[in-house]
Amino acid sequence: MQLRLAGITPESVVDGPGVRFTIFAQGCKHQCSGCHNPATHSFKAGKMFEIEEIIEQIKEKALITGVTFSGGDPFFQAAEFAQLGQQIKELDQKLDIITYTGFLYEELIQDQEKLSLVKVTDVLIDGLFEEAKQDLSLNYRGSSNQRVIDVKKSLRTDKIVKVKL
């Protein structure tokens, strides 16, 4: 299975806590005004990667504490990112997965394909970037409307459980 990616940052300290292996999805329809990554919007740009190739790169990074799915928006390739997430969890249960999206959690859990990606995610940062609500003091998100959600607790309790990173 393949993913269309804008790129990979093998050791990032800005895409979540710790040292993270960050994967940038190529493709986004949200078109947020002020997006910091507009080069990821086109669904035709980027490069195709085999999931196995990404897993091999992750195996080489002994210092990473987690994996971040960013974008673009990974939920436009939900089945593929879900498959990647499953393989990451099989590789090392200690690696947490943070997923960024412009969709809202409530929307994602209503769609079976998107729900498959939600289920392999530990922390979801949801919501469109809103330029008028931009707040540079926030950790790991761009605007105050975006939520940092503990996915496992939220699915278990059937209500949104926010977490601080």
Side-chain angles (χ1 to χ4, degrees):
M1 186 176 280
Q2 293 185 318
L3 292 129
R4 181 174 295 278
L5 302 181
I8 293 173
T9 302
E11 294 175 345
S12 171
V13 294
V14 298
D15 297 309
V19 179
R20 309 197 65 79
F21 189 95
T22 303
I23 302 164
F24 294 93
Q26 181 69 47
C28 184
K29 292 181 183 177
H30 300 303
Q31 304 297 311
C32 299
S33 178
C35 174
H36 78 282
N37 215 355
T40 65
H41 292 180
S42 170
F43 286 87
K44 295 180 181 174
K47 180 181 172 195
M48 299 302 291
F49 285 80
E50 294 288 339
I51 287 177
E52 295 76 23
E53 177 184 355
I54 299 166
I55 293 294
E56 288 304 314
Q57 289 184 42
I58 291 171
K59 285 179 183 178
E60 295 172 5
K61 297 296 173 189
L63 297 178
I64 64 170
T65 56
V67 177
T68 298
F69 297 160
S70 192
D73 193 318
F75 283 94
F76 288 110
Q77 299 178 72
E80 295 85 349
F81 271 95
Q83 178 67 34
L84 175 59
Q86 281 184 296
Q87 289 189 31
I88 290 167
K89 294 296 186 177
E90 290 168 9
L91 175 66
D92 187 345
Q93 283 290 321
K94 290 181 268 184
L95 292 176
D96 67 317
I97 297 175
I98 295 175
T99 305
Y100 284 85
T101 184
F103 292 102
L104 294 176
Y105 174 85
E106 296 87 347
E107 297 172 276
L108 297 172
I109 62 172
Q110 300 302 317
D111 179 299
Q112 286 304 309
E113 189 170 295
K114 289 179 174 63
L115 180 60
S116 66
L117 175 51
V118 170
K119 287 181 176 180
V120 298
T121 297
D122 295 291
V123 174
L124 180 75
I125 300 175
D126 80 337
L128 297 172
F129 170 73
E130 293 183 23
E131 202 167 14
K133 295 180 180 179
Q134 183 175 13
D135 184 345
L136 299 177
S137 71
L138 298 171
N139 285 333
Y140 312 118
R141 57 195 170 122
S143 57
S144 60
N145 62 295
Q146 294 172 309
R147 301 177 294 184
V148 182
I149 299 170
D150 182 320
V151 174
K152 304 304 180 216
K153 287 182 182 176
S154 297
L155 288 171
R156 191 169 51 251
T157 62
D158 201 28
K159 65 179 184 176
I160 293 174
V161 178
K162 294 180 187 175
V163 64
K164 285 192 174 198
L165 293 179

